[in-house]
């Protein structure tokens, strides 16, 4: 992007002529150079029109999501990559809320689709300031069923099994000699 020069200068062909300059005051303004001839009557105006090119940047600098009141940044996010997958674990069974930050504050974005189930895709459309360039980011959320088969605790007749460990699969329990009832095993 070109900045407007701090000042515009001009030199008349005749050393006897006077040059007056009205500087541009903004990006979309006009500088006017008036040359007054030596006779003080003859004038000529020159105009320099300035306009700033509109930004073509249509990217996001960050995508995050909220699950169970916990914010997370989309793993591996890169503003030039437009498709992501996010696995939702069993303990996070809630609908994700997606948040984003624009790379260029002059662009704008909107959700084309907001996830309304756990297995759903968020679609964010980013439109550049020039209203020509745009990109669509897609974040696919999917539930991954747990493969955890471990116990937290093990009980025999309401008493915790001594030295229980989730990775130990075999236990030898010696029942009292006077026990007449079958043992009741419970697990959590």
């Amino acid at each position: 992007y070109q900045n407007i020069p701090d000042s515009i200068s001009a030199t008349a062909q005749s050393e006897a002529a006077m040059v007056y300059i009205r500087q541009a005051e903004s990006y979309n303004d006009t500088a006017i150079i008036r040359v007054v001839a030596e006779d003080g009557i003859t004038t000529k105006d020159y105009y320099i029109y300035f306009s700033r090119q509109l930004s073509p940047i249509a990217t996001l600098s960050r995508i995050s999501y909220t699950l169970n009141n916990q914010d997370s940044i989309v793993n591996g996010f890169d503003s030039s990559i437009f498709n992501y997958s996010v696995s939702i674990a069993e303990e996070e069974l809630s609908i994700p809320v997606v948040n984003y930050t624009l790379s260029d504050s002059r662009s704008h974005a909107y959700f084309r689709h907001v996830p309304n189930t756990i297995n759903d895709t968020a679609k964010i459309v980013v439109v550049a300031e020039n209203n020509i360039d745009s990109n669509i980011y897609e974040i696919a959320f999917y539930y991954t069923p747990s493969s955890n088969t471990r116990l937290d605790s093990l009980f025999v007749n309401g008493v915790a099994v001594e030295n229980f460990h989730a990775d130990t699969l075999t236990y030898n329990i010696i029942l009292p000699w006077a026990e007449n009832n079958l043992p009741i095993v419970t697990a959590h």
Side-chain angles (χ1 to χ4, degrees), residues 90-123:
E90 180 178 10
E91 60 274 4
E92 299 172 329
L93 287 181
S94 66
I95 297 171
V97 176
V98 178
N99 308 294
Y100 59 82
T101 304
L102 296 167
S103 296
D104 184 340
S105 63
R106 295 169 293 191
S107 63
H108 66 277
Y110 61 91
F111 284 98
R112 179 175 284 172
H113 182 78
V114 176
N116 52 31
T117 65
I118 293 169
N119 293 310
D120 205 349
T121 300
K123 294 180 183 179

Side-chain angles (χ1 to χ4, degrees), residues 2-163:
Q2 260 185 325
N3 291 327
I4 293 176
D6 291 335
S7 64
I8 295 175
S9 60
T11 306
Q13 286 183 346
S14 168
E15 288 185 20
M18 296 297 297
V19 177
Y20 300 97
I21 301 174
R22 179 189 132 344
Q23 301 291 336
E25 296 178 5
S26 70
Y27 287 110
N28 295 309
D29 196 9
T30 303
I32 302 170
I33 301 106
R34 175 166 283 172
V35 180
V36 181
E38 183 179 10
D39 65 12
I41 299 170
T42 308
T43 64
K44 184 175 277 187
D45 290 338
Y46 295 86
Y47 298 90
I48 302 175
Y49 300 99
F50 293 99
S51 62
R52 183 180 60 78
Q53 177 186 16
L54 298 177
S55 171
I57 298 172
T59 58
L60 298 175
S61 61
R62 173 186 162 113
I63 300 176
S64 62
Y65 57 94
T66 304
L67 280 172
N68 298 326
N69 296 319
Q70 183 175 356
D71 292 327
S72 301
I73 296 173
V74 169
N75 192 25
F77 177 76
D78 180 316
S79 64
S80 63
I81 298 173
F82 302 103
N83 293 292
Y84 297 91
S85 294
V86 176
S87 173
I88 299 175
E90 180 178 10
E91 60 274 4
E92 299 172 329
L93 287 181
S94 66
I95 297 171
V97 176
V98 178
N99 308 294
Y100 59 82
T101 304
L102 296 167
S103 296
D104 184 340
S105 63
R106 295 169 293 191
S107 63
H108 66 277
Y110 61 91
F111 284 98
R112 179 175 284 172
H113 182 78
V114 176
N116 52 31
T117 65
I118 293 169
N119 293 310
D120 205 349
T121 300
K123 294 180 183 179
I124 305 165
V125 178
V126 183
V127 180
E129 180 188 32
N130 66 12
N131 285 319
I132 296 169
D133 297 289
S134 66
N135 288 302
I136 299 173
Y137 290 87
E138 293 188 10
I139 305 92
F141 294 94
Y142 60 94
Y143 168 66
T144 304
S146 172
S147 61
N148 185 350
T149 58
R150 299 170 58 142
L151 292 175
D152 281 333
S153 57
L154 182 61
F155 298 89
V156 174
N157 292 333
V159 177
V161 171
E162 191 175 321
N163 298 322

